[in-house]
Amino acid sequence: MSDIGTEGDGAWRAPRLEDAVAVVTGASRGVGRGIALALGQAGVTVYVTARSSRADGRTEGLPGTVEEVAEEVSARGGTGIAVRCDHASAEDNRALAERVREAHGRLDLLVNNAWAGYERSGEVRFDAPFWEQPMWRYDLCAGSLRAQYEVTRLLVPLMLPRRRGLIVGIGYTDGEEYLGQAAYDVFKHGSDRLSRAFARDLRRHGVTALALHPGFVRTERVAAAAELMGSGPAGVVHSPEYAGRAVAELAADPQVGARAGQVLAVGDLAAEYGFTDVDGSRPPAFRLEGRMTLATRMDRLNRAVAAAGARTTGTRR
């Protein structure tokens, strides 16, 4: 366990990881951005990957580009490297792996955060029963898990020669609780299982793979809907950087290998490692409570986001 703590106002004495090289996928906004920034504060060289870029525009019209986040990483004390990458593209994934290989010849940390499963959510209820769901929604969820598999498959060879490295799969499940939408449930649970499978295959190679669950996070998506959602089911639990601090502490922990294959919660790690969120609070691990499924919570949030976007542009959807 790290002996690095925090101050009461949310100040964080980041572990020093200046020699580390990391890839954080889906890092132009949300949890990925929070992880990249926390790693930057720890001095890490961070490859910030996502589809949103200054040149090609932003997905869903939400704030954030890879260039902006890479600049923030560098401003925090790390080295941010922006890579516009569609992780559904085998060509983009191969190009990313080759770029890291040519520049550094190794990789110390991979955070699989990219997730396209919430896109186009205003078109069909996110929590509709499976027979009312379009196949494109299944494909978005399936493609996100496939991307995690492919990215990891391509980047792990940069960890193997040094017999060290950490792979963190970002997701959310709550035990055997049904998440409220068939494809969403299957592939979110599949993400956890994939981390466990990676850990098993890597157990003799010195590389650790595990799954990490944030709580309900104040991402740009949530912020866009805050006025409409109020304190309802999208009530904010913690900032994206709370998850980032958890990743940095794990990366600095010399005993992290003992956690291989485990499913960890950010709130539990905060209590164990002694860090807080940026506001000084320490939110506990998120658990689904009551009868409302996670898919229904996300449906309400996504519709609020769509309504807020329509109101901003003066259109109706």
Side-chain angles (χ1 to χ4, degrees):
M1 188 174 106
S2 170
D3 60 357
I4 297 169
T6 63
E7 304 298 333
D9 62 355
W12 175 52
R13 292 193 293 261
R16 303 321 304 160
L17 298 167
E18 285 88 351
D19 293 333
V21 178
V23 169
V24 183
T25 72
S28 61
R29 65 178 70 101
V31 172
R33 173 178 175 269
I35 293 171
L37 294 185
L39 291 174
Q41 192 168 340
V44 178
T45 294
V46 183
Y47 283 81
V48 177
T49 79
R51 289 171 293 162
S52 294
S53 70
R54 287 172 178 155
D56 298 320
R58 300 171 299 167
T59 58
E60 301 183 276
L62 290 169
T65 65
V66 290
E67 294 87 356
E68 291 165 359
V69 176
E71 289 163 3
E72 291 182 276
V73 168
S74 296
R76 294 282 186 103
T79 301
I81 302 172
V83 182
R84 193 277 174 193
C85 184
D86 181 352
H87 290 294
S89 164
E91 181 179 356
D92 282 8
N93 290 330
R94 287 193 297 269
L96 170 65
E98 187 57 30
R99 183 170 177 179
V100 177
R101 184 190 309 278
E102 289 182 355
H104 299 281
R106 63 181 173 88
L107 184 68
D108 301 291
L109 172 64
L110 168 61
V111 182
N112 281 316
N113 173 72
W115 172 260
Y118 299 135
E119 295 181 8
R120 301 176 63 182
S121 290
E123 298 180 26
V124 180
R125 268 181 48 213
F126 193 75
D127 61 344
F130 71 89
W131 60 90
E132 295 178 8
Q133 293 283 0
M135 285 306 299
W136 57 254
R137 176 159 285 156
Y138 180 97
D139 292 340
L140 285 173
C141 293
S144 297
L145 189 61
R146 186 186 190 282
Q148 291 180 32
Y149 183 95
E150 182 174 41
V151 169
T152 308
R153 174 180 171 274
L154 290 168
L155 290 176
V156 156
L158 297 178
M159 298 179 172
L160 296 178
R162 301 174 72 227
R163 298 189 59 81
R164 58 184 294 183
L166 175 63
I167 302 164
V168 179
I170 304 297
Y172 185 77
T173 57
D174 191 356
E176 295 299 315
E177 191 76 22
Y178 177 51
L179 298 183
Q181 188 228 102
Y184 184 56
D185 182 271
V186 165
F187 290 106
K188 282 296 186 183
H189 279 88
S191 178
D192 287 351
R193 291 292 301 181
L194 193 59
S195 292
R196 184 176 297 179
F198 289 158
R200 186 62 182 268
D201 285 356
L202 290 165
R203 67 191 185 280
R204 296 178 182 174
H205 297 276
V207 178
T208 301
L210 53 84
L212 180 65
H213 292 176
F216 212 101
V217 186
R218 186 176 176 79
T219 63
E220 290 81 356
R221 180 183 294 272
V222 173
E227 183 179 341
L228 294 175
M229 295 299 290
S231 60
V236 173
V237 175
H238 65 72
S239 79
E241 288 190 53
Y242 196 43
R245 293 177 176 188
V247 171
E249 295 285 358
L250 286 168
D253 188 345
Q255 302 302 318
V256 70
R259 302 181 187 271
Q262 294 182 11
V263 177
L264 307 173
V266 169
D268 292 340
L269 292 175
E272 180 176 347
Y273 285 117
F275 64 87
T276 67
D277 202 352
V278 295
D279 62 358
S281 66
R282 185 175 288 152
F286 180 73
R287 299 285 183 263
L288 289 172
E289 297 179 355
R291 301 179 64 183
M292 185 180 294
T293 68
L294 184 58
T296 297
R297 295 168 193 251
M298 294 309 302
D299 181 69
R300 294 189 178 189
L301 171 62
N302 291 329
R303 290 183 179 278
V305 170
R311 185 175 59 185
T312 299
T313 59
T315 61
R316 297 178 64 90
R317 295 182 65 176

